[in-house]
Amino acid sequence: MHILHDFKFAKRQIAKRPGFAAAVILTLALGIGANSAIFSMINGLMLKPLPYPEGEQLVAVYNTYPKMGLPNAGVSVPDYIDRRDRTEVFQSTAMYTWNGMNLTGEGNPERLLALRTTPSLFEVLRIKPMLGRTLGEEHAEIGNDRAVVLSHGLWQAAFGAREGIVGEDIRLNGEPYEVVGVMPAGFVFPNQNVQLWMPFAFTPQQMSDEERGREFSNMIARLKPGASTEQAQQQVDRIHEINRERAPAGVAEFWANSGFGGRVVNYREELIGELRGPLWLLQVAVAFVLLIACANVANLMLARVTARRRELSVRKAMGAASRRIVAQILCESGLLALLGGFAGLLVAWYGLELLTLAGLGSTNELFDIRLDGTVFAFALGIAMTTGVLFGVVPALAAVRGNTAEVLKEGGRSASSGRGAQLTRSTLVVAQVAIAAMLLVGSGLLIRSFMELQGTDAGFNPEGVLTAGLSLPDNPYDDPAAMRDFHDRLVARLEAIPGVVAAGMTNVAPFEGGNSQSSYSIEGYEPGPGENSPHGMVRRADSGYFEAMEIPVLSGRAFTPEDGPDNPVAVIDEILARRYFPDENPIGRRIGFDDEENPEWFTVVGVVGTVKHSGLDEQVSKETYYLPIRNAAVGSPTLVLRTAMPPAGLIDPLREAVREIDPQLPLTRIRTMEEMIDVSLQTRRAPMLLLMVFAGVALALSAIGIYGVLAYSVSQRTGELGVRMALGARIGDILQLVMRQGGRLVAIGLALGLVAALALTGMISSQLYGVSRFDPFVLIGVVVFLGLIAALACLIPAWRAACVNPIEALRYE
C-alpha cells in the first residue's frame, strides 16, 4: 500500500512542476538514449549469437608469417588437408575461395560474387537449404563440380522464385551449372554479397607438397564441444613442427626465418576486427555523458527539495518517519528516470540510424543490430540505476537539518545549508572534469583525422574513376588474347571525351587487395637468418601510373613494346633504397629463381611509394610492378583520370566496354576519393560521435554551472542587497560571483586534464601523427571550456549585480 501511495504522490508532485519534469526527462533521455544506441551496436556485434547453430564454436584458421609482417595469410590446399586430417579438436572443416562469375542467358549479363567451397562448408555452418540440397561430397571430384547453390535473394531476383529451378542448368561464364539447392532467406556467408556457392574440387597437383605456398583460400572450422581455441592453436602448431622436421632444408629455413605457422582465431573476433576498440571507447564516453546528466538532475532535485524544506519539515513535525520521506523522494526520482528511459529509447532509435549513417558498425548482415528486448532491458536497467544515483543525495538532504529552525523561518527563505551547497558544487566540479576529459579525447581525434587527411597516399585521388571487370576463362585465359583485349579497350577508353588518361591494374589502392609474393634479385644473397625478399606485387600498364599520377622517379614506366619477349618490371622507391642503396637499379633484374622455370624481369623504372590499404598505413613493405598486358588477369580494375566530374564518365565507360565485349559487366564503379572515404570510416565515426558526446557534455556542464550559480545568487539576494547598500559596486558583485564559479571550474578542469592524460591511452590506437599529450589540444580545451564556463558564470553574476538593494532588503 505504501508503494502505491508513494507512486500516486510522486505523480502529483511531478504534475505540479511540468517544466521541472520536462527538464529532467529530456536530460536523462539524452544520456540514456546515447548509451542504449551504443549498447545496441555492442549487443549486435559482440553479445548476440551468430546466426549459425552453436556459432561460438566456429574458428577461422590462417597461415601466418609474423617475421615478414604478414599475420594473416591465406591457406594452401596441403595446409588445409593437414589441419583437417591431423587435428582432434575440429569437428568439421571447410575451405573456400572467392570467385567472380558472369551470369548469362537471363537478360543482360550480370556479375555475381561466388564462393568456391568444399561441400563440408554447410556441415560446418549447420544450415540446411530451403529448396533441394546443398553440395555433396560427389561434387568435390574434378569433372563433377558443375553444381551450384543459389542465395535466396538471387533466386528471387534472377529466377522469379521458381521452385522448379532446382535441377535446371544456368550458364555461368558461358558454362552450364546445375542448380542443386536454394538457401533460406537470411542465410549469409561470409557476407551478404555472396550469391552463389560452388564446389571446390582439389586436383592431385593442388594436394601435393609442391602446392605449399599457394595460399589463395580461407579456412573455417567448427570446434568439438568442450574444445578451445587455445587447444586448436596448440595442435596446429604441432602439425607445423612435424612438417618442418620433414621439409627440405631450403623450405625449413624459409619457414624458420619467416616464423611460418598457423593462426586460429574465434570467427566472431575475426568478423568484428577493428570495430571493438571504437565501440568500447564510445560506450565509455556515453557513460560519462550519463554521469553528467545524473549530476545535473541531482542538482535540480536538490534545488527542488530545498524549495520544499518547509513542507517536509511540517510533515516530519507531524510524525512522518524519515524513511517514508526518503522513499517518496526516491519514488519521484525513479518515476522521472523511468519516463526518461522511455524517452531515451526514442533517442536511441534515431541515434542508431545516425550511427549507421556515420559508418560505425559492420556492414555484414550476419549481425543483427537493432533495438530488441535486450536493449530495452538495458535501457530500463540504467534508467533505474540513474534514478537511484540522482535521487539518493536529495533524499538524504531532505531528512537532514533542524526541523524547528526551518519552521521558525516562517517561510521567508528556503535557503539550504552548507552541506547541500557543497554537494551541488561537487557535482559541478565532476561535470566540468568529465566534460574536459571528453573534449580532450575528441580534440585528439579531430587533430589526428586532420593529420590523416593531409597524408600523401603516393597518388592523386582527385578526378579518378575506377571500375572492375570480370573476364571469363574463355578466351581471356590466353595471354595473347589478353594483350589484344587490353590494347583495344584502353584505346577506346582514352577516346572518351574528358578522359585524360586510362589504364588497367589487377588491384587498385584501397580496393582491399593484399597480393604479396617472395622474389629474387639477381646477384643478391640473403644474409644468415634472412629469407628472399618479399613484397607487394601488382600488375599494371603505363596508363595506370599516368592516371593515378604516381611519380616516375627514374627510368620509365611500361610501354606497349614491353611484350613477353622483353620481360620488364617497375619497382617502388622502398625496394630501390632497401636493395640498391648505392647504385642505380635500372637494368638490374628481379624475378622468380625457380630451378625448373626461372623467370627474370629487367627493372626499367622506379616509382613513388603508394599506400595500398589506408592513409594511416605505415608503408614498410616494398612493391614491384609487372606488366598486366602479358598475364591473364581474371578481375582487372580500370582506372580513368578525367578533367570532368567522374560520375559523368560512368555511362560512356559502360558503352566503351560493351563495344569491346557485350558479355562483360562492369562492377565496383567508384571514384578513388570514395574508396579513400570508406577507408576512413572507422576513424571518422568515433571522432564525430565523441565530438557530439563532448558537445552534449559541455552543454550539460554549462547548464549545471549556471544552475548552481543562479540558485546561489537567488539564495544570497538579501546578502547582496546589504553589500550594495553598504557601497559595493557592480564590479565587486560580478567579481564575487565569478570567483565562486571560477573556483569550481578551475578545480574541475585540473581534475579533468589529469584524468584525460591517464585515460587517453584508450584512444592511442586511433591516433595518427598526434601525441596523446598534444599541447595544442590541452591548451585549446582549457581555453574553450574556460570561455564557455565563464559565459555560464557571467549570466547569474550580471543578474546579481543588477539586484535593486531596496528590493533585496524587502525580500530579506
Side-chain angles (χ1 to χ4, degrees):
M1 288 298 294
H2 282 316
I3 295 177
L4 183 59
H5 180 270
D6 290 343
F7 179 76
K8 291 180 179 179
F9 183 78
K11 284 201 304 181
R12 290 196 300 271
Q13 289 296 321
I14 292 172
K16 284 181 181 179
R17 297 288 182 90
F20 165 80
V24 171
I25 292 169
L26 288 175
T27 301
L28 291 176
L30 283 174
I32 294 172
N35 275 270
S36 300
I38 297 295
F39 177 76
S40 64
M41 285 277 183
I42 292 175
N43 181 49
L45 289 168
M46 304 180 197
L47 304 179
K48 282 186 180 178
L50 291 174
Y52 311 117
E54 290 83 40
E56 298 309 314
Q57 295 176 351
L58 298 176
V59 294
V61 187
Y62 296 96
N63 283 1
T64 182
Y65 298 85
K67 295 182 181 179
M68 298 172 65
L70 193 59
N72 289 345
V75 175
S76 71
V77 173
D79 291 323
Y80 166 73
I81 293 174
D82 283 344
R83 295 160 186 169
R84 180 193 67 187
D85 298 342
R86 295 164 58 186
T87 56
E88 298 176 354
V89 292
F90 294 145
Q91 188 173 170
S92 52
T93 62
M95 187 178 188
Y96 61 92
T97 190
W98 305 89
N99 249 119
M101 306 296 289
N102 294 338
L103 175 65
T104 57
E106 301 289 333
N108 292 327
E110 184 179 356
R111 174 67 170 171
L112 302 176
L113 183 60
L115 207 69
R116 196 172 290 277
T117 175
T118 56
S120 55
L121 174 68
F122 301 97
E123 178 187 352
V124 172
L125 300 179
R126 294 183 179 173
I127 300 293
K128 297 185 180 300
M130 184 192 73
L131 294 176
R133 61 192 180 96
T134 57
L135 301 173
E137 289 303 318
E138 69 276 12
H139 296 129
E141 300 173 4
I142 297 295
N144 196 32
D145 54 352
R146 293 290 179 84
V148 64
V149 174
L150 306 179
S151 71
H152 191 272
L154 180 64
W155 172 64
Q156 288 184 318
F159 303 103
R162 289 189 293 110
E163 295 189 4
I165 191 66
V166 175
E168 294 183 9
D169 285 348
I170 62 174
R171 298 195 74 80
L172 299 172
N173 285 357
E175 302 291 341
Y177 282 76
E178 179 191 1
V179 177
V180 298
V182 177
M183 297 307 291
F187 173 72
V188 172
F189 184 86
N191 61 51
Q192 65 275 11
N193 298 321
V194 174
Q195 297 168 287
L196 299 168
W197 293 269
M198 309 164 64
F200 190 167
F202 301 153
T203 66
Q205 172 63 27
Q206 286 176 324
M207 293 187 285
S208 66
D209 279 344
E210 287 73 20
E211 197 73 6
R212 295 187 189 275
R214 290 183 57 82
E215 300 161 342
F216 57 88
S217 302
N218 297 78
M219 178 178 175
I220 186 171
R222 177 176 289 276
L223 297 171
K224 290 181 178 178
S228 67
T229 303
E230 291 74 20
Q231 290 173 321
Q233 183 66 64
Q234 291 171 1
Q235 294 195 12
V236 168
D237 290 342
R238 180 57 183 159
I239 289 172
H240 287 290
E241 289 175 11
I242 295 172
N243 285 347
R244 271 196 293 269
E245 292 172 359
R246 65 180 183 84
V251 174
E253 182 182 9
F254 172 79
W255 286 352
N257 293 341
S258 62
F260 172 68
R263 182 167 176 261
V264 183
V265 293
N266 179 271
Y267 188 59
R268 180 196 292 275
E269 298 296 319
E270 195 60 23
L271 290 172
I272 295 172
E274 58 186 9
L275 284 173
R276 175 180 292 274
L279 282 173
W280 283 118
L281 165 67
L282 292 173
Q283 187 68 75
V284 171
V286 294
F288 282 140
V289 171
L290 183 61
L291 287 176
I292 291 181
C294 286
N296 256 2
V297 174
N299 264 328
L300 288 172
M301 291 287 290
L302 271 172
R304 180 159 166 74
V305 165
T306 301
R308 295 172 57 193
R309 287 183 70 209
R310 179 166 176 78
E311 169 211 333
L312 297 174
S313 296
V314 169
R315 292 173 60 193
K316 288 172 64 178
M318 295 180 66
S322 295
R323 64 175 180 275
R324 288 284 293 122
I325 294 174
V326 168
Q328 287 178 350
I329 293 176
L330 285 177
C331 186
E332 183 177 342
S333 65
L335 182 56
L336 287 169
L338 192 60
L339 293 173
F342 286 123
L345 287 173
L346 184 62
V347 172
W349 189 84
Y350 285 105
L352 193 55
E353 295 292 321
L354 291 175
L355 290 175
T356 304
L357 288 174
L360 189 68
S362 175
T363 58
N364 196 325
E365 292 182 4
L366 270 175
F367 297 108
D368 181 22
I369 301 174
R370 58 188 174 88
L371 299 181
D372 58 10
T374 303
V375 179
F376 289 160
F378 173 82
L380 180 63
I382 60 174
M384 291 297 95
T385 302
T386 55
V388 173
L389 282 177
F390 72 73
V392 67
V393 173
L396 293 176
V399 296
R400 291 175 183 161
N402 191 313
T403 301
E405 290 297 324
V406 174
L407 293 176
K408 284 179 183 178
E409 291 174 3
R412 291 176 300 153
S413 173
S415 63
S416 58
R418 285 187 176 181
Q421 185 63 33
L422 178 61
T423 300
R424 293 191 191 95
S425 299
T426 302
L427 292 173
V428 167
V429 168
Q431 287 177 307
V432 173
I434 294 172
M437 290 168 55
L438 293 179
L439 284 170
V440 168
S442 62
L444 289 173
L445 290 181
I446 292 170
R447 283 267 289 157
S448 174
F449 196 77
M450 293 171 62
E451 289 285 333
L452 195 59
Q453 285 185 309
T455 299
D456 181 13
F459 59 88
N460 180 9
E462 296 180 8
V464 175
L465 181 70
T466 69
L469 283 175
S470 176
L471 306 181
D473 292 342
N474 186 16
Y476 296 104
D477 59 346
D478 176 53
M482 182 66 186
R483 279 194 297 275
D484 177 67
F485 168 75
H486 169 273
D487 294 345
R488 289 189 297 122
L489 179 58
V490 171
R492 177 65 182 83
L493 296 177
E494 290 175 337
I496 297 175
V499 171
V500 176
M504 186 183 292
T505 181
N506 65 325
V507 57
F510 298 83
E511 201 171 30
N514 191 34
S515 178
Q516 303 185 34
S517 176
S518 295
Y519 62 97
S520 299
I521 300 175
E522 191 175 40
Y524 171 80
E525 290 294 332
E530 294 181 358
N531 284 326
S532 297
H534 186 273
M536 309 290 290
V537 55
R538 295 291 184 265
R539 292 274 180 179
D541 58 10
S542 58
Y544 168 74
F545 295 105
E546 185 179 354
M548 296 291 288
E549 294 186 1
I550 299 173
V552 178
L553 305 179
S554 64
R556 63 174 176 85
F558 301 121
T559 68
E561 288 72 35
D562 295 325
D565 298 329
N566 179 33
V568 297
V570 171
I571 64 176
D572 74 348
E573 57 183 324
I574 291 182
L575 194 155
R577 286 199 307 263
R578 182 168 293 163
Y579 295 107
F580 307 102
D582 302 316
E583 60 179 307
N584 186 355
I586 306 300
R588 294 291 301 270
R589 296 204 303 172
I590 67 173
F592 310 103
D593 192 12
D594 190 298
E595 293 182 1
E596 298 181 1
N597 187 27
E599 190 175 12
W600 292 99
F601 301 84
T602 301
V603 176
V604 296
V606 178
V607 298
T609 298
V610 170
K611 294 190 174 187
H612 296 287
S613 59
L615 290 178
D616 58 348
E617 178 185 1
Q618 302 294 331
V619 183
S620 60
K621 186 162 289 189
E622 65 269 26
T623 300
Y624 59 98
Y625 300 87
L626 305 177
I628 196 170
R629 293 178 70 250
N630 303 333
V633 176
S635 299
T637 296
L638 305 177
V639 181
L640 289 79
R641 176 166 291 280
T642 174
M644 59 188 287
L649 284 183
I650 295 177
D651 289 338
L653 174 60
R654 291 186 188 277
E655 181 60 29
V657 173
R658 193 178 297 117
E659 288 181 15
I660 302 298
D661 188 339
Q663 297 299 311
L664 296 181
L666 274 178
T667 61
R668 310 187 310 276
I669 302 176
R670 297 169 292 183
T671 67
M672 187 57 65
E673 289 179 307
E674 288 172 344
M675 294 165 68
I676 292 178
D677 190 63
V678 169
S679 75
L680 292 174
Q681 280 185 347
T682 55
R683 288 184 176 273
R684 183 190 299 105
M687 176 199 70
L688 292 175
L689 292 169
L690 192 58
M691 190 166 61
V692 170
F693 298 148
V696 172
L698 180 63
L700 291 175
S701 298
I703 292 171
I705 295 168
Y706 168 80
V708 166
L709 290 183
Y711 184 79
S712 175
V713 166
S714 70
Q715 297 299 297
R716 299 174 65 185
T717 301
E719 173 201 338
L720 297 175
V722 171
R723 287 176 180 269
M724 296 183 72
L726 293 175
R729 292 169 297 182
I730 290 178
D732 297 328
I733 302 300
L734 281 173
Q735 186 179 18
L736 178 69
V737 179
M738 291 291 288
R739 188 187 302 121
Q740 178 187 355
R743 187 164 48 248
L744 299 179
V745 172
I747 296 171
L749 265 174
L751 294 175
L753 290 179
V754 171
L757 294 176
L759 296 177
T760 46
M762 292 183 63
I763 63 171
S764 58
S765 63
Q766 293 282 310
L767 299 181
Y768 177 86
V770 176
S771 166
R772 63 192 184 101
F773 305 111
D774 185 69
F776 180 83
V777 171
L778 297 178
I779 294 172
V781 167
V782 171
V783 172
F784 181 64
L785 184 53
L787 288 175
I788 297 297
L791 183 61
C793 295
L794 184 61
I795 297 173
W798 182 255
R799 288 176 57 190
C802 294
V803 169
N804 186 319
I806 302 301
E807 293 298 324
L809 293 174
R810 285 179 182 172
Y811 174 84
E812 187 63 21

